[in-house]
Amino acid sequence: MTLWSRRSVLSTLAAAAASAAAFPAASQPGYPSRPVKMIVPWPPGGITDVTGRILAQRLGVELGQPTVVENRPGAAGTIGHAVAAQAEPDGYTVLLATNSTYAMAPHLFEKLPYDSSKAFAPVGLVIRSPQVFCCNPSLPVKTFAEFLPYVRARQPDGVVFESSGPGSSSHLAAELLMAMANFRMLHVPYRGGGPAVQALVSGEVACGFVDAVVALPIAEGGKIRMLGVSTAERLPLAADVPTIAESGVPGFESSTDVALMVPAGTPSAIVARLNAALLATLADDHVRALLTKQGAIISGGSPEQFAGYMVKENAKWGDVIRARGIRMQ
């Protein structure tokens, strides 16, 4: 997905506003006329929840009605998705989704309480949150390039990596890395990102992927060491840390992607209105500063662009999950 500068977002915003204006106002009179509920399918405190609360304040201004965050966590995000899928497609329920649920969960679970390919309509990609491959400082490596020979000499289970749970984005990023770099490690999953990071800090595990917003302050305190960034570009807030792709695994790319969706069947005029409000929100200087401080890469774009990106993400992670034989009950 092409990254969006402020100028690009503003340009697309103008087009979105024109598109929204092209629909007869009579088709959805006075939308929105009451508060809009934003379902966040993860617990408070994580990157999705923080992003949702930053967005909600400004979206409320752009829409002229409050946007209220409602956390509905559980089952790798699928509980919140099920709630959103069953909501009326009237624009008063929106879903802040992550790729771990819209691109990974359909391949991990034998059965979901909704049809992931038909239950939702895209509004737009919001941010991409880079992950950082980190290690405990006790490991005798300073860079990801040094980590590769270290781990290869100790496979298949001499190096233990953490994740925030089976099938989580941190788990699947590590599976993708092992497949592309041709090495093996032992997986120890935890119940959430907090316990996983604590295990990394304490030395209970050797390494693992951590969202940038979490990794940056802990690394500054010397409690973990950042070896490589998962995205194609380096982190602006840690420009001295190379990407994994430039450190011996060309083509590697993974991130936690946060997107805005609505229940399928939501009128196109409302989708256009929400997209215009989203782009205006992402163009706001205060919002951009808050999101950038979280280590996020601001995206944007049209519903059609996000739909194409979602197809590619589904194909990518479906291939990884099938090749690695990962299934969830």
Side-chain angles (χ1 to χ4, degrees), residues 120-134:
F120 307 104
V123 175
L125 187 61
V126 179
I127 63 161
R128 299 176 61 219
S129 177
Q131 300 161 314
V132 185
F133 189 79
C134 301

Side-chain angles (χ1 to χ4, degrees), residues 102-173:
Y102 65 72
M104 299 175 187
H107 308 285
L108 288 167
F109 293 91
E110 186 172 341
K111 188 175 182 180
L112 292 173
Y114 54 88
D115 185 337
S116 186
S117 64
K118 298 179 181 179
F120 307 104
V123 175
L125 187 61
V126 179
I127 63 161
R128 299 176 61 219
S129 177
Q131 300 161 314
V132 185
F133 189 79
C134 301
C135 73
N136 183 274
S138 64
L139 260 66
V141 297
K142 302 293 186 183
T143 66
F144 188 81
E146 292 178 0
F147 176 79
L148 284 175
Y150 176 85
V151 70
R152 284 171 176 152
R154 291 162 177 80
Q155 56 184 339
D157 56 9
V159 176
V160 180
F161 76 95
E162 52 79 10
S163 81
S164 56
S168 63
S169 57
S170 55
H171 174 207
L172 293 182

Side-chain angles (χ1 to χ4, degrees), residues 99 103-104 107 172-173 176 254 313-321:
N99 56 340
M104 299 175 187
H107 308 285
L172 293 182
L176 176 64
S254 177
E313 279 287 285
N314 266 277
K316 169 185 173 179
W317 292 112
D319 288 346
V320 172
I321 290 164

Side-chain angles (χ1 to χ4, degrees), residues 19 35 40 48 50 75 152 170 204 218 246 257 269 274 281:
S19 175
V40 174
T48 312
V50 171
R152 284 171 176 152
S170 55
E204 187 175 315
I218 300 176
E246 65 182 298
D257 298 348
L274 287 167
T281 295

Side-chain angles (χ1 to χ4, degrees), residues 63-292:
L63 292 171
Q65 289 287 342
T67 301
V68 182
V69 172
E70 181 177 308
N71 296 90
R72 299 297 293 266
T78 60
I79 289 177
H81 278 238
V83 172
Q86 294 164 9
E88 288 293 323
D90 55 8
Y92 290 98
T93 298
V94 299
L95 172 68
L96 199 65
T98 62
N99 56 340
S100 59
T101 308
Y102 65 72
M104 299 175 187
H107 308 285
L108 288 167
F109 293 91
E110 186 172 341
K111 188 175 182 180
L112 292 173
Y114 54 88
D115 185 337
S116 186
S117 64
K118 298 179 181 179
F120 307 104
V123 175
L125 187 61
V126 179
I127 63 161
R128 299 176 61 219
S129 177
Q131 300 161 314
V132 185
F133 189 79
C134 301
C135 73
N136 183 274
S138 64
L139 260 66
V141 297
K142 302 293 186 183
T143 66
F144 188 81
E146 292 178 0
F147 176 79
L148 284 175
Y150 176 85
V151 70
R152 284 171 176 152
R154 291 162 177 80
Q155 56 184 339
D157 56 9
V159 176
V160 180
F161 76 95
E162 52 79 10
S163 81
S164 56
S168 63
S169 57
S170 55
H171 174 207
L172 293 182
E175 294 286 353
L176 176 64
L177 177 62
M178 289 188 289
M180 292 184 66
N182 193 29
F183 66 82
R184 295 169 63 189
M185 299 185 291
L186 179 64
H187 178 211
V188 175
Y190 291 83
R191 298 185 67 177
V197 172
Q198 183 56 44
L200 181 58
V201 170
S202 68
E204 187 175 315
V205 297
C207 58
F209 279 100
V210 182
D211 279 326
V213 62
V214 177
L216 286 166
I218 300 176
E220 285 178 4
K223 295 180 179 179
I224 60 175
R225 182 177 297 138
M226 299 192 298
L227 300 181
V229 179
S230 68
T231 46
E233 56 284 316
R234 294 191 181 197
L235 282 173
L237 298 179
D240 57 325
V241 181
T243 67
I244 293 172
E246 65 182 298
S247 302
V249 192
F252 180 85
E253 187 170 6
S254 177
S255 58
T256 299
D257 298 348
V258 180
L260 198 64
M261 298 179 172
V262 290
T266 300
S268 56
I270 289 180
V271 173
R273 177 81 173 90
L274 287 167
N275 178 258
L278 173 62
L279 293 179
T281 295
L282 295 178
D284 179 79
D285 287 337
H286 181 61
V287 170
R288 294 179 72 84
L290 289 174
L291 291 175
T292 302

